[in-house]
Amino acid sequence: MIAKIGRGSSLYGALAYNHLKVEKENGQILFTNKMIETLSGQYSVAQLTQSFEPYLIANRNTEKHTLHISLNPDPRDNVSDEKFRQLAQEYMQEMGYKEQPYVVFKHTDINRTHIHIVSVCVDEEGKKISDKFEKRKSMNVCRELERKHKLISATDKEHKQNDKIFRPIDYKTGDVKSQIASVIRHLPNYYRFQTLGEYNALLSLFNITTEKVEGELRGKPQRGLLYFAMNEKGEKTSHPFKASLFGKNAGLPALELHFENSKATLKDHPTKQTLKSAVTIALQSTSDELNFKKHLASQGINVVVRRNETGRIYGITFIDHNSKTIWNGSRLATTLSANTFNDYWNNNIKPEIKEPVLQQPKLSKPNNVDLSSEQPHHLFDFLNTSEKHEDGLIEAFGGLLPEAQAEDYEELDFVNKMKKKKWKKGQ
């Protein structure tokens, strides 16, 4: 079980976010502690707020007085409502909040059923309840609750390995937003790309695409990104997700800064010549697209080809997982542009490559490569799924832990909006 503790200054925002889930029938109030009860058992945000008012009035100097805690059991755990109530009560007791008013919400809008607890961290006298070593304490409490209630441990080796591996998202399994978040949150930290097209080529390996949106809102220019899930054919299969749902690093300003930094880093980078040689050799030694891809795949290089409705190739991108860089063909060399490959593969016009290639570059080669049939361009098309190579994949991505699966970006977006509203009122 994973616990996430958030602290903020907007009690109303935390309550309103959770109550909205209840109103949309995607959540329910499971338990209340030291809260003013209603005759009907139903609560409005205003009614819930009343129970916390004496604590906030007495508050002395604590700016971030609101606690917003989520408890997330492993999706494989079958946790009943009664068990969730017990987990919430025991967690709050062990964390020192037993005597505080708090309300427990259950969220059911995604496959990973979990609970949220809203409370305040100041006592009746307005003193802040100590949060010293809070993270370590919370982890110990979670381990004890797992043992007591026979839950799957978040520290299990199997659980860790499953979480470390980037996988293409599967829209059929649901929770598409969290699947997208677990990928896009990390990619810019490990890969260098210089354009939105190159970024999209990388995203396509994970069945994701993004589009730029521009327009005006109340006379002010607006620019942003929308993310979509795709199926195996490269077709959109989800509604658009705003970049703001995934944090600022997924937005256009952050990516444009990444583009500029990548340009500076890759300007005289030796990997360009190495990759150019590898692609040139593959082009010279193969006669069709499939064998060309297989040749490069054996060296840890993905090829993403873009075609229009008539089948004409208008873009080709190379993703080198050895150097973790992405290059459009024309950026490597004019002889490796999309036109060259379109003429060769579609019109049987073999390119004349005058530049001599002295030596095949030495690149790491995954074992047991099998691309016997044409498939969409996924990272796992050329990676062996054996346990040994899976460990290599983890290493290739820097031992990533897609923590986004345990975060609710919709919640963060809602809280940020509430903060903006409060700020405007205070102007």
Side-chain angles (χ1 to χ4, degrees):
M1 181 174 72
I2 298 173
K4 298 188 67 64
I5 305 175
R7 293 175 178 269
S9 57
S10 177
L11 173 67
Y12 180 86
L15 290 172
Y17 166 77
N18 286 280
H19 196 268
L20 187 62
K21 300 275 187 179
V22 177
E23 290 180 343
K24 292 184 176 181
E25 299 183 351
N26 289 323
Q28 65 183 100
I29 294 177
L30 281 185
F31 180 75
T32 60
N33 185 70
K34 293 198 171 186
M35 301 282 289
I36 302 172
E37 296 183 2
T38 62
L39 293 176
S40 64
Q42 305 296 316
Y43 294 87
S44 65
V45 176
Q47 288 169 325
L48 291 171
T49 303
Q50 289 177 3
S51 299
F52 299 101
E53 285 179 348
Y55 296 79
L56 298 183
I57 292 173
N59 179 28
R60 299 180 182 180
N61 301 308
T62 305
E63 180 181 355
K64 294 185 177 181
H65 46 66
T66 298
L67 283 172
H68 196 171
I69 302 168
S70 67
L71 298 183
N72 305 268
D74 189 285
R76 294 169 289 177
D77 283 317
N78 186 18
V79 182
S80 65
D81 288 353
E82 181 57 34
K83 183 74 71 177
F84 267 128
R85 294 186 188 99
Q86 293 177 17
L87 290 172
Q89 288 178 275
E90 293 173 18
Y91 179 86
M92 294 297 279
Q93 177 176 333
E94 295 299 322
M95 293 298 292
Y97 299 113
K98 178 183 177 181
E99 301 302 322
Q100 294 297 100
Y102 62 83
V103 55
V104 181
F105 297 87
K106 176 183 175 183
H107 289 192
T108 57
D109 54 337
I110 59 177
N111 292 339
R112 179 177 51 80
T113 302
H114 58 289
I115 58 175
H116 284 231
I117 307 170
V118 179
S119 186
V120 289
C121 59
V122 292
D123 61 21
E124 290 180 298
E125 296 180 354
K127 296 179 181 178
K128 180 182 177 181
I129 298 173
S130 175
D131 59 356
K132 194 174 183 180
F133 305 115
E134 182 177 68
K135 185 175 181 179
R136 184 188 306 173
K137 185 177 181 180
S138 177
M139 290 176 65
N140 291 336
V141 172
C142 285
R143 300 296 82 77
E144 180 58 34
L145 291 178
E146 288 168 349
R147 288 189 291 270
K148 180 178 179 180
H149 296 282
K150 298 180 180 179
L151 302 176
I152 296 173
S153 175
T155 60
D156 282 352
K157 182 179 179 181
E158 177 185 1
H159 184 61
K160 280 186 173 180
Q161 286 183 343
N162 287 340
D163 278 350
K164 282 184 179 178
I165 303 169
F166 271 14
R167 299 188 183 281
I169 69 168
D170 183 357
Y171 70 95
K172 298 176 183 177
T173 63
D175 195 9
V176 171
K177 184 183 70 175
S178 290
Q179 290 190 66
I180 293 176
S182 68
V183 174
I184 66 175
R185 183 183 180 190
H186 299 290
L187 288 184
N189 295 330
Y190 293 87
Y191 280 80
R192 293 290 181 181
F193 41 85
Q194 304 176 55
T195 66
L196 192 62
E198 292 176 356
Y199 180 48
N200 256 328
L202 180 61
L203 289 178
S204 72
L205 306 187
F206 302 93
N207 296 337
I208 303 171
T209 189
T210 186
E211 291 181 0
K212 185 188 295 186
V213 290
E214 296 179 306
E216 283 191 2
L217 180 63
R218 298 174 184 172
K220 295 182 179 180
Q222 301 290 323
R223 300 171 65 247
L225 291 177
L226 296 175
Y227 287 86
F228 301 81
M230 297 192 299
N231 60 18
E232 295 79 5
K233 298 179 181 179
E235 301 166 335
K236 296 175 185 175
T237 58
S238 75
H239 64 270
F241 294 91
K242 292 182 180 179
S244 59
L245 294 175
F246 306 112
K248 64 179 182 180
N249 289 336
L252 190 56
L255 284 173
E256 288 179 334
L257 180 60
H258 184 80
F259 298 158
E260 292 302 315
N261 291 337
S262 295
K263 287 178 182 178
T265 301
L266 298 177
K267 184 177 181 181
D268 299 311
H269 202 284
T271 191
K272 180 177 181 180
Q273 185 58 44
T274 302
L275 182 60
K276 178 182 175 182
S277 297
V279 174
T280 302
I281 289 173
L283 186 58
Q284 290 176 328
S285 57
T286 61
S287 59
D288 57 65
E289 182 176 349
L290 179 57
N291 284 305
F292 175 81
K293 291 178 180 177
K294 289 173 66 175
H295 186 101
L296 290 176
S298 67
Q299 301 172 60
I301 302 169
N302 254 147
V303 183
V304 177
V305 178
R306 296 179 295 283
R307 289 180 166 83
N308 61 20
E309 294 179 355
T310 64
R312 177 178 176 78
I313 297 173
Y314 67 89
I316 188 164
T317 304
F318 302 95
I319 302 173
D320 181 11
H321 298 285
N322 307 285
S323 63
K324 296 182 178 62
T325 58
I326 295 93
W327 303 80
N328 282 333
S330 58
R331 196 185 300 280
L332 289 177
T334 55
T335 54
L336 300 178
S337 67
N339 286 335
T340 296
F341 293 91
N342 182 72
D343 288 341
Y344 191 22
W345 295 337
N346 287 346
N347 303 322
N348 200 29
I349 303 174
K350 189 170 184 177
E352 295 182 5
I353 301 177
K354 298 180 181 179
E355 180 180 347
V357 178
L358 301 178
Q359 181 179 347
Q360 175 117 2
K362 295 181 180 180
L363 299 171
S364 59
K365 296 185 180 182
N367 297 324
N368 302 329
V369 176
D370 182 11
L371 287 181
S372 57
S373 61
E374 176 70 4
Q375 297 290 336
H377 316 301
H378 299 311
L379 177 62
F380 294 89
D381 284 349
F382 67 84
L383 290 179
N384 182 6
T385 56
S386 67
E387 182 178 352
K388 179 179 178 181
H389 195 78
E390 200 164 87
D391 291 339
L393 177 59
I394 294 172
E395 183 180 354
F397 280 97
L400 298 180
L401 273 171
E403 298 172 350
Q405 291 184 2
E407 297 187 10
D408 194 331
Y409 285 90
E410 185 179 333
E411 172 191 339
L412 296 178
D413 184 53
F414 184 91
V415 172
N416 288 336
K417 288 180 180 178
M418 295 306 303
K419 287 180 180 179
K420 289 179 181 179
K421 287 183 179 180
K422 182 177 180 181
W423 181 80
K424 288 181 180 179
K425 289 181 180 178
Q427 282 185 319

